[in-house]
Amino acid sequence: MIIIILRIIFIMKTQTNRFEYAAKILLYIIAAFLPIWILPLFPLGAEFGREVTFAVLIIAAAIFWLLSILTRGEIRFFLSPVLWAVLLFFLFTALGALFSTAPFVSAFLAGPVAERLSTIILGLLLFLLFGNVLRTQGEAWGATLLLIAAGALSAIINAIQLFFDASIFTYISSFASESPSFNVIGTVNGLALFYTALLSLILGLLLGKRPKETESSFAQYFLAAASLPFLINLFLINFLTSWIVLLGVSIFLFGFAFKDVRARGGMSDIRYWIALVFVALSIVMIMMRSPIFKSIQIPAEVAPSFRATLGITKQVF
């Protein structure tokens, strides 16, 4: 991972603004350590250690970005339809925290770190930084490469833990849980959705309109190899929502591949068949709700009963 970071720094074009260059380096570090980082020997817990670490990195990157704007004398802000969706999600979360029984607790002290308003604010800030600091396709590809590589390493570690019924993180931090389902992302459901998002990203790069950085044989082999740990974890966890999301992504990519096939007048494009395989696989896994590997201990939250789901829904409303 360190070698990849150094390589990206080496091949990056010389920046006229040192503050912007520093912000880019911090974003690369965040992408590289987001799926695997845990703070060893941190007495306040693994989640709080991650929260403090990434909060410091995100705020520092934001400060460097603002300093680059001040020194350059101009601001460049890229708008995207995704940004409006993120802002809408932030608005609903902020209103939920404001009208909750304990607004301060909901915003800063809620039990699940991912559900805190402060975490959503940091995520929104990180989204803005990635969109406005990494402006070229090559810079975005570098961050994507690091995120996928670190995510694949996380998926390998999680698969080993589930197969051997042991937590590797206990050897890194004495405050990590001994449960084999322990991970630094959050719940097992959240981990499955995180791997689904990375697998969808890989499928988009391989089956969609390819950036020039992914046209090399090394990039294609790397992406194909990195997709295997994610797919294995989806089979091990077998979370229904993950397969539904993957089905939607596969149908979307299948539509693009089918359009290219019709334009070329043949069905020899392998992307068409790969997308079709993922569509069929997702449908089969959605219908197959029993655990594939019954010897692996998966938390009950992964496959809640209909009565439990209905009860949780009533409590939410």
Side-chain angles (χ1 to χ4, degrees):
M1 194 67 61
I2 297 177
I3 295 176
I4 296 178
I5 295 176
L6 293 176
R7 178 175 175 81
I8 290 175
I9 296 175
F10 178 76
I11 65 176
M12 188 184 298
K13 294 181 179 179
T14 304
Q15 302 292 322
T16 56
N17 193 311
R18 291 176 294 177
F19 295 116
E20 184 179 7
Y21 183 80
K24 291 180 180 180
I25 298 302
L26 289 178
L27 291 180
Y28 285 131
I29 294 175
I30 292 173
F33 289 98
L34 182 63
I36 56 176
W37 175 250
I38 184 172
L39 196 60
L41 304 177
F42 194 74
L44 298 181
E47 281 194 341
F48 190 73
R50 282 175 55 84
E51 184 181 17
V52 170
T53 302
F54 288 111
V56 170
L57 291 175
I58 293 172
I59 293 174
I63 292 174
F64 281 126
W65 178 49
L66 293 176
L67 289 174
S68 68
I69 293 174
L70 293 175
T71 54
R72 190 171 52 237
E74 63 177 0
I75 181 172
R76 301 175 182 175
F77 194 83
F78 291 88
L79 292 177
S80 168
V82 182
L83 177 61
W84 299 111
V86 173
L87 289 175
L88 184 63
F89 175 72
F90 167 73
L91 177 62
F92 278 107
T93 307
L95 290 175
L98 180 64
F99 292 102
S100 64
T101 306
F104 182 81
V105 175
S106 299
F108 302 104
L109 301 175
V113 175
E115 298 179 6
R116 296 177 185 172
L117 180 61
S118 58
T119 304
I120 304 300
I121 294 174
L122 289 175
L124 176 60
L125 181 58
L126 184 61
F127 180 85
L128 293 174
L129 287 173
F130 269 105
N132 292 279
V133 175
L134 305 179
R135 293 190 295 270
T136 67
Q137 197 172 62
E139 293 169 349
W141 165 245
T144 303
L145 178 68
L146 288 171
L147 182 61
I148 292 175
L153 177 60
S154 169
I156 293 173
I157 293 174
N158 189 68
I160 293 175
Q161 290 187 153
L162 293 178
F163 271 120
F164 292 96
D165 195 25
S167 176
I168 296 177
F169 289 99
T170 54
Y171 298 98
I172 303 174
S173 174
S174 58
F175 300 96
S177 173
E178 296 182 0
S179 172
S181 60
F182 175 82
N183 62 87
V184 298
I185 301 299
T187 63
V188 178
N189 293 352
L191 183 68
L193 290 174
F194 178 71
Y195 291 157
T196 304
L198 291 181
L199 180 59
S200 301
L201 177 61
I202 292 176
L203 292 177
L205 292 172
L206 289 177
L207 307 181
K209 185 178 180 181
R210 300 178 181 176
K212 63 178 182 179
E213 286 79 9
T214 62
E215 293 179 352
S216 65
S217 298
F218 168 77
Q220 294 182 28
Y221 286 132
F222 169 78
L223 293 175
S227 65
L228 293 179
F230 299 137
L231 194 58
I232 291 173
N233 275 269
L234 293 187
F235 279 114
L236 294 176
I237 299 173
N238 198 17
F239 184 41
L240 177 61
T241 307
S242 294
W243 292 113
I244 294 175
V245 172
L246 188 61
L247 175 62
V249 173
S250 302
I251 292 175
F252 183 77
L253 294 174
F254 175 76
F256 276 105
F258 185 74
K259 182 179 178 181
D260 292 339
V261 167
R262 291 187 60 183
R264 295 178 183 179
M267 299 182 66
S268 59
D269 194 338
I270 192 175
R271 294 182 297 170
Y272 171 84
W273 295 104
I274 292 177
L276 187 60
V277 167
F278 272 95
V279 170
L281 177 63
S282 301
I283 294 175
V284 171
M285 295 307 299
I286 289 173
M287 299 174 62
M288 185 186 302
R289 297 313 314 137
S290 59
I292 300 177
F293 302 93
K294 296 183 179 180
S295 60
I296 295 179
Q297 300 296 325
I298 299 295
E301 65 186 24
V302 174
S305 63
F306 177 76
R307 179 178 297 180
T309 304
L310 184 62
I312 293 173
T313 305
K314 288 182 178 179
Q315 291 179 4
V316 170
F317 283 102

